[in-house]
Structures are given as structure tokens and as C-alpha cells.
Amino acid sequence: MRIFLTGSTGFIGARIASELIQAGHQVLGLTRSDSGVRELAALGAEAHRGDIEDLANLRKGAASCDGVIHTAFDHNFANFVANCQKDSRAIEALGSAFIGSNRPVIITSSTAMGTATAGQPATEDHFDPEHPNPRVASELAGRELSRRGVNVSVVRLSQIHNTLKQGLVTDVVALARKTGIAAYVGEGLNRWSATHVSDAAHLFKLALEKTQPGARYHATAEEGIAFRYIAEVIGQTLSIPAVSLSSTEAAIHFGWLTAFVSKDMSASSTKTKALLSWEPVEQGLLADLRQIAKH
């Protein structure tokens, strides 16, 4: 298959591109820069110049391919609501090129969308269209495309990691380096799910090849790691203390991260593993965090 891949030189996208090419697929990667063109060429992929805000260009790229994997997202959390709406428009543009065909469109969301009850792992079957997290806009756009006959499925991400990046944990590490403490809130028993980037890339490939309309998959290798353990490993690795903060102290210390650090973001991938025969094989989040001081 020839696949139009957005975010093709990003943390996850570059791994997906390699995974697809190794499996015999062709990749047309969206990129904004000359360096991106070179990176894609080195992988054996073709470049499509543009960005996710040029909707006509997105349609053009998608229309020339047999399928789409959309991983590009603007992670500037200062403009999170606007960026989620931007993602919604990009999804609509990409999918509109496939109306009336069975060509697959794989979009990206967060496992937070599968949370039905606070403190319980998110599941693939659950989706609340009224979810307060702005990222719901991505799945709403996908649902609307499904209603219009597009073959859309969703890969929901946990904290995606290796020794260089770890999703939101990357920002927690940066704050720990800056402040000299590895903080957590209260007892720190809220849990975060996680997956190595290579395992996540393999999941995207399987989701593409399965082409199951309306499916939701969870990129979750570890269902839930207590945030206190994450903070303690960061502290040990950076040789700084792990410190419990009250809710009031945490709001001051964590800033924009406050909305996440006290929440339970655990997730199940039981259904995903059964449907796709996906078996994560890479090392876990805490093992990767123990190597961050080397970078």
C-alpha cells in the first residue's frame, strides 16, 4: 500500500515510516522543511511538502494514496484548545478524500478518551462525545467521517517513550531538572499508562493492515504506573529528592502540568491485543527513565 503519513519526521511518525517501509509499504510523508525531505529520503520515503493547516494540500496528498496515518499534532499546550480544533479540521480534510471508498484512515487520539470512571483504566469501547478534554475534537471528527462512509479507526496513545522522550513525562523531567526536586501530589498513587515508541509504531502498522472501520485501539503496554514511582525513579536518576506536594503546592510547582499530574491516566489494551495480536516487546517506562541522565 502507498500511505500518506502526517507527522512523518516526528517522534512517533518517523518510527511508523520505518515500520511501514520494512513491511513493504510505500510512504508519502508530509513535511514542512528541507531537512524533513532529507530525513524521509534517508528512510526510503517520498516527501510531500506542506503542513496540517493547508487543508487543500492535505486532501491532495491523501487522494494520491491507498491509506492515511495521521500522527501530526501541535503540542503547544498554551494553545491546546485551538490545536485540537486544528487537528479536527485536518482529519476532516484527510478523510474527505476517501469518501465512497474503503481506503483506511488511521487517526490519533489519547487513551484519556476511553475513561468512563475516574480511577479506572480507560477502555477501547468507551467514548464520551461530551468529554471535557479538548482532544475529543479529534475523535468527533473521525466519527463524523465514519458517518459519511469513510473507513476510520483510532489509535489512542498512552505516554509514548524511549530514553530521549517520554510523552508528558518529558516535561516532568525537565521541571525536575529545573527545580531540583522530583515532585508528586499527595501519596502519588494515581497511575499513568505507557508504551515504548517502537511498540506504538508497530501497532499503527497493524491497525492499518487490519482496516477495521470504527475500531479504537490503545497503544498501552503498561496499564498503570503509580506517579510516585515515576517521580522516585526520576529523582534517583537525577540524584535529587522525590517530594510529596499538597494540591496547593502542586498547582504552583507544576503550572500547566497540574491538570495532569494528579489524575489517573491508566488504560487497558486487552481488546487491542486480542484484535490485532499486538504484543509489546520493548522495555518499560521506568527502565527508560533510568537512562535519561545519559542524554
Side-chain angles (χ1 to χ4, degrees), residues 12-247:
I12 300 173
R15 294 296 184 98
I16 295 172
S18 294
E19 182 89 16
L20 293 175
I21 290 168
Q22 289 172 12
H25 300 290
Q26 298 176 328
V27 173
L28 177 64
L30 182 70
T31 182
R32 295 175 293 181
S33 66
D34 291 338
S35 61
V37 173
R38 292 191 293 270
E39 289 174 36
L40 288 166
L43 290 173
E46 182 184 350
H48 182 87
R49 292 296 291 263
D51 60 46
I52 59 173
E53 295 191 83
D54 186 343
L55 302 184
N57 192 43
L58 287 182
R59 291 188 194 97
K60 181 180 178 181
S64 70
C65 292
D66 304 309
V68 168
I69 296 180
H70 173 55
T71 67
F73 188 80
D74 187 338
H75 290 281
N76 180 356
F77 282 90
N79 299 315
F80 188 50
V81 174
N83 290 340
C84 290
Q85 292 300 320
K86 179 165 58 176
D87 192 56
S88 173
R89 293 190 293 271
I91 289 169
E92 194 283 330
L94 290 163
S96 66
F98 284 8
I99 293 173
S101 79
N102 194 43
R103 290 178 290 174
V105 177
I106 314 297
I107 65 173
T108 307
S109 181
S110 165
T111 53
M113 296 301 104
T115 302
T117 305
Q120 296 298 313
T123 61
E124 296 93 335
D125 288 334
H126 182 75
F127 174 62
D128 176 8
E130 303 297 327
H131 199 289
N133 188 319
R135 193 68 194 267
V136 72
S138 301
E139 292 199 28
L140 287 173
R143 187 176 70 168
E144 180 57 29
L145 286 172
S146 294
R147 289 173 174 170
R148 296 168 66 189
V150 181
N151 179 1
V152 178
S153 55
V154 182
V155 173
R156 292 169 168 171
L157 302 180
S158 296
Q159 305 307 310
I160 306 300
H161 61 85
N162 62 9
T163 58
L164 297 176
K165 293 185 178 181
Q166 304 85 31
L168 286 172
V169 182
T170 301
D171 298 289
V172 176
V173 171
L175 185 61
R177 290 185 191 274
K178 178 181 177 181
T179 62
I181 63 170
Y184 55 93
V185 184
E187 296 183 359
L189 299 181
N190 57 300
R191 301 181 303 151
W192 284 16
S193 58
T195 306
H196 193 279
V197 64
S198 295
D199 288 322
H202 186 57
L203 175 57
F204 273 97
K205 182 190 81 76
L206 294 175
L208 175 78
E209 294 173 344
K210 180 71 172 180
T211 64
Q212 181 62 45
R216 303 186 190 99
Y217 305 111
H218 281 187
T220 302
E222 296 178 281
E223 181 174 296
I225 307 163
F227 191 83
R228 178 173 181 167
Y229 296 160
I230 295 171
E232 288 175 344
V233 169
I234 293 171
Q236 293 163 8
T237 306
L238 299 181
S239 299
I240 59 177
V243 178
S244 172
L245 301 180
S246 69
S247 297

